[in-house]
Amino acid sequence: FHLASGRLPFPCTTPLEASLAIAADLEQAPPDVRDASPDELRASISGAFAEAVKKGLQKKRENRYVTADEFASALHACLVDLGEGEYTVFLSYRSASERFHAELLFQALNNTATAAGHRVAVFLDTKRLVKGEDWQEGFLSGLARTLVAVPLVSSGLLQPLRRLQGRDDDPKDNVLVELNLMQVLLEGGLGSLESIFPVMVGAPKPPGDPLYPYTGNFFQESSYIQDEITDKVSPTSTNAVLNFECLCREPSSRFPSGGTADGAVALDQVAAYLARHGMPTDAPALTRGVKATAASLMDRQAALLWEQTPEVEGLIDEIEPADELAHRALADPPDPPLNLHQLRALREQVKTMLDSNSSVGPCPFRAQKLFSSFS
């Protein structure tokens, strides 16, 4: 706060006054650093930075950052927003099926260090996007400023793609949009993206199955789903058949009135983002069908989560009080659900997978440095 504004957040002249100002009224909200900054600096202080400082100044412990790593992550995100930093990993997933897998990967990777001593910063939307700010801009900026995109691919990710028919009234599938944007960035050599490294996720095996509590083989589970995905382009999701530049000029010309206005607005936002950042609007990824988009993930070097079956000693019947993720996994289960034994096994599988994929070449030099951090 002092570095950004030149003032103290709680004015005082003696240590006693400082103690009283900080401890006397625990309900008092900390000031906004922008309000205390000189006029010539105020405009350059982002809302995300102001929120990070404000959270760090909260008087009650439970309202502050839990760890210095968490605080550092929030400040690093501000550097990325300014174009002065990058994320090492961008985690892409379908919330209904892989949100807890993504959180486990985030916990295992974020703020670790590469062999060369570089800090690993992971983009996970639930950890990085600021409430009240433009979600689309924050999400796309994070992807464009990431070295390695890591999509979590499961039958749960593929299932919703079966409902797409390649028509203008297709529902918008945000995961499909993410996958296409990855291809746009990578094929165009744009932004910071240097590699796409999928993690193939099998479904958790139920009690009684020989593999319980571990996960099954993704390829065996999903082959029939892939056969049922359309070869066509889904306009509202892939932004493919549409010409982006035409869309920017006439965002509603492609759609009949009253039917797909939301899709048109979303496409317009993506197109405008690409234009602002000098990205091409005619990249091959923009004309790739739904099945081809999914298949492109299968053709890449990937980590196979079901191959990781470390021994998990004993079964557990109660959640550790501090295991907030386990509490949420039971209260708001994914599809398919995870019980405590499956969640514990999944944690161990993620750790083993990262250890076994500490080197995944060939990939660009900077991306290769990332994977040395996995071990």
Side-chain angles (χ1 to χ4, degrees), residues 98-107 124 127 319-334 338-340 343-344 346-347:
E98 293 92 44
R99 65 183 181 275
F100 294 108
H101 298 72
E103 286 204 43
L104 289 172
L105 275 169
F106 180 86
Q107 293 174 3
L124 179 63
K127 305 291 185 182
I319 307 175
E320 292 290 333
D323 194 345
E324 186 259 347
L325 186 142
H327 281 281
R328 286 191 288 111
L330 295 187
D332 183 20
L338 291 166
N339 64 28
L340 288 178
L343 188 62
R344 184 183 182 191
L346 182 61
R347 273 199 173 102

Side-chain angles (χ1 to χ4, degrees), residues 11-181:
C12 56
T13 57
T14 67
L16 178 59
E17 288 181 356
S19 298
L20 292 174
I22 293 170
D25 183 4
L26 294 181
E27 301 301 326
Q28 179 191 14
D32 190 308
V33 68
R34 292 170 292 189
D35 295 336
S37 300
D39 292 342
E40 62 272 19
L41 295 180
R42 188 172 300 135
S44 65
I45 298 177
S46 69
F49 179 79
E51 284 299 313
V53 173
K54 189 173 185 178
K55 185 171 182 178
L57 283 172
Q58 291 290 335
K59 294 185 176 184
K60 292 185 177 180
R61 178 188 299 177
E62 61 268 24
N63 295 334
R64 295 195 296 270
Y65 293 102
V66 177
T67 65
D69 280 348
E70 187 181 349
F71 199 176
S73 294
L75 293 175
H76 180 79
C78 299
L79 291 177
V80 174
D81 290 342
L82 290 173
E84 297 177 7
E86 295 172 323
Y87 290 111
T88 329
V89 173
F90 182 100
L91 294 176
S92 175
Y93 64 101
R94 194 176 293 282
S95 179
S97 50
E98 293 92 44
R99 65 183 181 275
F100 294 108
H101 298 72
E103 286 204 43
L104 289 172
L105 275 169
F106 180 86
Q107 293 174 3
L109 278 176
N110 193 51
N111 285 324
T112 56
T114 67
H118 299 289
R119 178 171 162 269
V120 176
V122 180
F123 184 100
L124 179 63
D125 55 355
T126 57
K127 305 291 185 182
R128 301 300 188 193
L129 300 181
V130 179
K131 291 181 180 179
E133 294 197 348
D134 190 311
W135 177 88
Q136 187 94 9
E137 180 71 16
F139 169 82
L140 294 172
S141 295
L143 179 56
R145 294 166 184 161
T146 294
L147 288 176
V148 181
V150 178
L152 305 185
V153 185
S154 72
S155 56
L157 179 141
L158 296 179
Q159 283 279 9
L161 300 182
R162 298 162 67 192
R163 63 183 177 172
L164 304 177
Q165 302 298 317
R167 300 195 302 255
D168 284 347
D169 60 351
D170 276 355
K172 183 163 73 76
D173 190 290
N174 288 325
V175 173
L176 190 56
V177 173
E178 289 179 32
L179 298 178
N180 269 321
L181 285 170

